[in-house]
């Protein structure tokens, strides 16, 4: 039996290293952790020998698990979904739980950067916490992974048995599936499938109702995160002024040789195991790079996975974004990757004070909603991305200053 108090202490310590303020944790955070721990302390229940051919037969059961089907199916563990506005620390809290609980219960992360099915490969961009990979993926990426193992390139059809084998051989030993960007509907019934195989799905979402889970008879336990931003730092923390020691680091990087990744020009320099990468801000948001492309860019850097990485965004200007909808989307994609990989960020503008505040970023949404010939759903999704950026920039700035302070 694991020591619950010791696990919670580990959660708090890891939260600090991840840029969260554990003094803002509530009883809800403790309840979520306790519920997952209780699940892990229960021996796994063996799933049915064979997966039914259709969802109708799978779900035709009563409250006692009995029904019109040829074999018994254990009731699935109810998914746990943390709901709330962007910036309330939902996904970062899941990152922390992923690391701490896998360590405490010796649970593997069987999702590798390259997954194999026969001669075919599927590449997975692993998220990092303090330089170490974690298992959390977005629901869409879990869906893509299941489809990779379900689709037969030989018969050009879906082979349910292949998916079942993958889940039971690779995923079941993990016991926990951490997922973010849980949608109300959409994609294949990925989360219900995983739950029905006995995996506990723990997810985060900006929404509150999940019709697909209800319809598939795996209603989730939902928890609401509200109130203050749990992430340490504010957007202004990322701004470097001329009297700050980090200003000189920008100047040093400007003297370094210019390297190129596709249309992106950058300079890099390693100092005391910290890798600094300088990017011209306008170049960065105009280069045709979204999340996956930014992840590929990281692979080209001379960066050790367990060493700190800091992006220096030079000549930073929100003004360059206000009338450029595509640049806003790339800006959001960049900070999505920064958050996923735990990268520190500093910004400066040598010509004028860099404007970076919650209010200034919130005003970006005015540009989004004013865009013409853009579907409303896309506008809403991008505006939510700006909300994510507001706290992620502060967290990245706080992280960068903490790293640099240890070098002085």
């Amino acid at each position: 039996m694991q020591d619950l108090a010791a696990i919670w202490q580990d959660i708090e310590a890891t939260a600090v290293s991840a840029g969260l303020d554990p003094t803002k944790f509530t009883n809800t955070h403790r309840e979520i952790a306790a519920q997952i721990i209780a699940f892990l302390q229960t021996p796994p229940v063996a799933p049915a020998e064979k997966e039914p051919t259709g969802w109708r037969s799978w779900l035709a059961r009563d409250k006692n698990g009995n029904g019109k089907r040829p074999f018994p199916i254990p009731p699935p563990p109810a998914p746990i979904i943390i709901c709330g506005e962007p910036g309330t620390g939902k996904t970062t809290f899941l990152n922390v739980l992923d690391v701490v609980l896998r360590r405490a219960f010796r649970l593997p992360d069987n999702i590798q950067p390259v997954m194999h099915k026969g001669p075919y490969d599927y590449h997975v961009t692993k998220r990092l916490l303090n330089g170490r990979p974690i298992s959390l993926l977005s629901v869409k990426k879990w869906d893509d992974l299941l489809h990779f193992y379900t689709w037969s390139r030989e018969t050009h059809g879906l082979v349910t048995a292949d998916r079942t084998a993958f889940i039971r051989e690779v995923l079941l030993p993990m016991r926990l599936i951490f997922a973010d960007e849980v949608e109300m509907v959409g994609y294949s019934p990925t989360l219900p499938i995983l739950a029905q195989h006995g995996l506990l799905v723990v997810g985060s979402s900006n929404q509150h109702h999940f019709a697909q889970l209800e319809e598939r008879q795996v209603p989730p336990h939902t928890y609401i995160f509200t109130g203050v931003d749990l992430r340490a730092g504010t957007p202004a923390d990322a701004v470097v002024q001329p009297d700050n020691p980090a200003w000189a680091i920008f100047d040093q990087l400007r003297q370094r040789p210019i390297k190129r990744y596709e249309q992106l020009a950058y300079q890099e320099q390693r100092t005391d195991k910290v890798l600094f990468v300088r990017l011209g801000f306008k170049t960065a948001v105009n280069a045709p790079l979204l999340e996956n492309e930014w992840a590929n860019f990281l692979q080209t850097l001379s960066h050790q996975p367990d060493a700190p990485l800091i992006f220096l965004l030079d000549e930073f200007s929100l003004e360059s974004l206000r009338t450029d909808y595509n640049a806003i989307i790339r800006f959001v994609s960049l900070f999505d990757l920064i958050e996923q990989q735990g990268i520190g960020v500093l910004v400066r503008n040598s010509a004028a004070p860099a404007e970076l505040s919650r209010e200034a970023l919130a005003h970006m949404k005015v540009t989004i909603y004013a865009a013409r010939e853009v579907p409303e759903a896309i506008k809403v999704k991008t505006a939510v991305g700006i909300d994510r950026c507001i706290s992620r920039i502060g967290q990245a700035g706080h992280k960068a200053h903490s790293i640099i302070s240890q070098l002085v």
Side-chain angles (χ1 to χ4, degrees), residues 301-375:
L301 301 175
S302 55
H303 176 234
Q304 300 299 321
D306 57 348
L309 172 61
I310 296 177
F311 279 175
L312 306 178
L313 302 183
D314 215 349
E315 309 309 332
F316 181 91
S317 171
L318 288 182
E319 191 62 37
S320 62
L321 297 180
R322 288 197 172 100
T323 58
D324 191 335
Y325 184 78
N326 289 327
I328 293 173
I329 294 175
R330 295 182 185 123
F331 175 70
V332 171
S333 295
L334 171 58
F335 273 90
D336 282 346
L337 179 86
I338 284 168
E339 190 271 340
Q340 293 172 15
Q341 301 294 312
I343 299 170
V345 172
L346 295 174
V347 307
R348 79 164 182 178
N349 189 319
S350 57
E355 180 188 18
L356 190 54
S357 65
R358 292 181 184 275
E359 294 73 21
L361 285 164
H363 186 69
M364 298 296 301
K365 291 188 287 187
V366 175
T367 302
I368 293 170
Y369 286 115
R372 297 180 179 180
E373 300 180 357
V374 177

Side-chain angles (χ1 to χ4, degrees), residues 129-150:
L129 184 68
N130 298 328
R132 300 300 173 90
I134 61 176
S135 73
L136 184 144
L137 300 174
S138 69
V139 173
K140 183 181 186 307
K141 290 182 179 177
W142 282 117
D143 178 62
D144 290 344
L145 187 60
L146 288 191
H147 185 270
F148 170 72
Y149 281 96
T150 309

Side-chain angles (χ1 to χ4, degrees), residues 14-137:
T14 305
V16 172
S17 69
L20 291 182
D21 182 356
T23 65
K24 297 176 183 176
F25 284 171
T26 66
N27 289 335
T28 301
H29 293 81
R30 291 177 177 269
E31 183 178 345
I32 292 169
Q35 186 175 341
I36 299 172
I37 291 169
F39 169 81
L40 294 176
Q41 290 177 333
T42 303
V45 177
E49 289 295 324
K50 179 182 178 183
E51 183 174 311
T53 56
W55 276 103
R56 297 292 182 185
S57 60
W58 186 303
L59 299 172
R61 63 172 184 272
D62 59 27
K63 64 180 180 180
N64 296 317
N66 300 312
K68 298 177 181 179
R69 59 192 190 291
F71 45 82
I73 298 175
I80 298 172
I81 310 296
I82 303 174
C83 311
E85 296 298 319
T88 47
K90 304 182 299 298
T91 301
T92 311
F93 184 58
L94 293 191
N95 295 349
V96 171
L97 292 178
D98 190 341
V99 169
V100 173
L101 295 179
R102 291 203 187 284
R103 181 166 58 219
F105 288 88
R106 298 181 180 178
L107 299 174
D109 174 6
N110 290 335
I111 306 303
Q112 302 301 317
V114 181
M115 302 293 289
H116 307 283
K117 182 185 181 184
Y120 306 109
D121 295 337
Y122 178 80
H123 293 265
V124 181
T125 300
K126 298 286 287 183
R127 301 187 185 205
L128 304 179
L129 184 68
N130 298 328
R132 300 300 173 90
I134 61 176
S135 73
L136 184 144
L137 300 174

Side-chain angles (χ1 to χ4, degrees), residues 110-301:
N110 290 335
I111 306 303
Q112 302 301 317
V114 181
M115 302 293 289
H116 307 283
K117 182 185 181 184
Y120 306 109
D121 295 337
Y122 178 80
H123 293 265
V124 181
T125 300
K126 298 286 287 183
R127 301 187 185 205
L128 304 179
L129 184 68
N130 298 328
R132 300 300 173 90
I134 61 176
S135 73
L136 184 144
L137 300 174
S138 69
V139 173
K140 183 181 186 307
K141 290 182 179 177
W142 282 117
D143 178 62
D144 290 344
L145 187 60
L146 288 191
H147 185 270
F148 170 72
Y149 281 96
T150 309
W151 181 259
S152 169
R153 300 194 186 189
E154 287 73 26
T155 64
H156 299 285
L158 300 175
V159 182
T160 304
D162 288 354
R163 180 184 67 201
T164 299
F166 166 68
I167 293 175
R168 294 180 180 176
E169 295 170 11
V170 178
L171 298 187
L172 270 182
M174 296 172 61
R175 302 217 57 195
L176 300 175
I177 295 295
F178 288 98
D180 70 352
E181 301 174 17
V182 178
E183 305 291 344
M184 293 193 306
V185 293
Y187 310 123
S188 65
T190 299
L191 299 190
I193 288 173
L194 296 173
Q196 291 284 3
H197 279 278
L199 288 154
L200 176 59
V201 176
V202 187
S204 64
S205 177
N206 297 325
Q207 305 174 25
H208 296 79
H209 301 286
F210 307 96
Q212 188 181 76
L213 289 170
E214 298 284 350
E215 291 168 359
R216 300 293 184 176
Q217 297 185 18
V218 282
H221 291 303
T222 57
Y223 294 89
I224 309 298
F225 279 12
T226 59
V228 298
D229 191 335
L230 289 177
R231 294 188 175 104
T234 66
D237 290 338
V239 178
V240 173
Q241 303 295 348
D243 59 350
N244 190 294
W247 189 277
I249 301 177
F250 275 84
D251 289 338
Q252 291 172 16
L253 267 291
R254 291 189 70 170
Q255 307 305 314
R256 301 288 297 173
I258 295 176
K259 299 183 178 181
R260 295 190 180 277
Y261 173 77
E262 296 185 357
Q263 298 181 32
L264 181 69
Y266 67 97
Q267 294 152 298
E268 63 177 337
Q269 175 176 299
R270 184 178 300 282
T271 304
D272 294 332
K273 297 183 179 180
V274 178
L275 180 64
F276 293 93
V277 176
R278 177 184 173 272
L279 302 166
F281 179 67
K282 291 183 180 179
T283 301
V285 296
N286 285 319
L289 304 177
L290 295 178
E291 182 183 328
N292 288 339
E293 290 79 15
W294 278 113
N296 292 336
F297 166 64
L298 290 186
Q299 300 300 317
T300 70
L301 301 175

